[in-house]
Amino acid sequence: KTSKQSSYSNITAMFAAIDKYLVQHTPSWYRTPVVQTSALGLVFFWVFAAYTTVQFYSASIYGSALAADCVSAVYLTFTVTCLVAPGIINKFGCRLAMFVGVLCYGNLVL
């Protein structure tokens, strides 16, 4: 195995262990589609609310031109990655893809 395959299998094993723990320790009502959809909706709401806050904060610090460039870069990234996202999700899975996507937001904030 290459180091890339090994790290991918380690990440997959970590997520499998987390899944096993969560299935054993979460109540059954929490795993229903309505609750999961609502939870995902709340997560997306708060991620974008935090992003908008950071955007306005950066505009006040760095100026509106730099903030507009940052937003343009983010939306350009959204446009390009939505073309390749199905392949990435098929290869790595939904959870890992969402995890990396949220890390990219964190990188933008820092």
Side-chain angles (χ1 to χ4, degrees), residues 39-70:
L40 188 61
L42 285 171
V43 167
F44 279 126
F45 172 78
W46 288 113
V47 165
F48 284 107
Y51 173 71
T52 303
T53 303
V54 168
Q55 178 185 344
F56 286 126
Y57 181 68
S58 66
S60 68
I61 291 177
Y62 301 118
S64 60
L66 185 60
D69 290 344
C70 183

Side-chain angles (χ1 to χ4, degrees), residues 88-100:
I88 292 170
I89 291 170
N90 284 338
K91 182 166 177 93
F92 298 110
C94 291
R95 290 186 179 182
L96 183 58
M98 287 174 46
F99 178 72
V100 170

Side-chain angles (χ1 to χ4, degrees), residues 9-83:
S9 63
N10 289 341
I11 291 171
T12 305
M14 178 186 71
F15 278 113
I18 291 170
D19 283 345
K20 184 177 178 182
Y21 176 82
L22 290 175
V23 166
Q24 292 174 352
H25 293 90
T26 56
S28 60
W29 63 267
Y30 185 75
R31 294 189 302 265
T32 62
V34 171
V35 172
Q36 291 293 301
T37 303
S38 299
L40 188 61
L42 285 171
V43 167
F44 279 126
F45 172 78
W46 288 113
V47 165
F48 284 107
Y51 173 71
T52 303
T53 303
V54 168
Q55 178 185 344
F56 286 126
Y57 181 68
S58 66
S60 68
I61 291 177
Y62 301 118
S64 60
L66 185 60
D69 290 344
C70 183
V71 171
S72 298
V74 167
Y75 287 123
L76 179 66
T77 304
F78 285 165
T79 303
V80 171
T81 56
C82 87
L83 299 173

